[in-house]
Amino acid sequence: QVRLVESGGGSVQTGGSLEVSCAASGADLRYNFLAWFRQRPGKEREGVAGISSEGKTAFYIDDVKGRFTISRDIAKNTVYLQMNNLNPDDTAKYYCAAGIGLDGSNWYKPHAYGNWGQGTQVTVSS
């Protein structure tokens, strides 16, 4: 049974930075595609960033390009999301997810993932 546990959320002011982490247990996720999603108040869950199993290819939505960086540590079975220059629109609950066989055409689709964490709240104040 795969378990994903996010950590590192919190509250920052506009322009600040946060790094959220997602540690996996119960399975080795080195062959999985990993992603970060967020759900803003009143909105559907949306893909934010994804990273291939080798860690060589990363995908981002336009809204976070240049501000967010996804990375993974295979040895630690952990995926990270470094978020810089945050603004109030980034306020959301952030979730990590693990999937298989994903690529640029489908990584951002929530239904493509079989394993999810419980989420960590990120709040950005103006």
Side-chain angles (χ1 to χ4, degrees), residues 14-124:
T14 296
S17 298
L18 276 176
E19 182 179 68
V20 290
S21 304
C22 173
S25 61
D28 185 343
L29 297 186
R30 68 178 64 226
Y31 301 112
N32 287 77
F33 190 99
L34 301 177
W36 285 96
F37 284 74
R38 67 184 178 189
Q39 189 158 16
R40 293 182 276 196
K43 300 288 183 65
E44 294 185 353
R45 193 170 297 190
E46 65 173 348
V48 174
I51 189 165
S52 64
S53 57
E54 309 90 353
K56 293 180 181 179
T57 306
F59 303 92
Y60 301 93
I61 56 172
D62 288 345
D63 188 37
V64 306
K65 280 181 182 176
R67 301 191 297 124
F68 291 12
T69 303
I70 188 171
S71 61
R72 64 190 296 169
D73 187 326
I74 292 175
K76 294 183 178 179
N77 222 15
T78 300
V79 61
Y80 306 92
L81 185 68
Q82 175 67 44
M83 302 181 288
N84 298 327
N85 195 20
L86 287 159
N87 62 67
D89 285 341
D90 296 315
T91 294
K93 196 163 187 179
Y94 284 73
Y95 300 85
C96 67
I100 297 175
L102 301 172
D103 57 26
S105 68
N106 56 11
W107 71 269
Y108 53 90
K109 299 178 180 179
H111 70 262
Y113 294 82
N115 296 101
W116 292 87
Q118 83 290 348
T120 185
Q121 180 67 36
V122 171
T123 302
V124 185

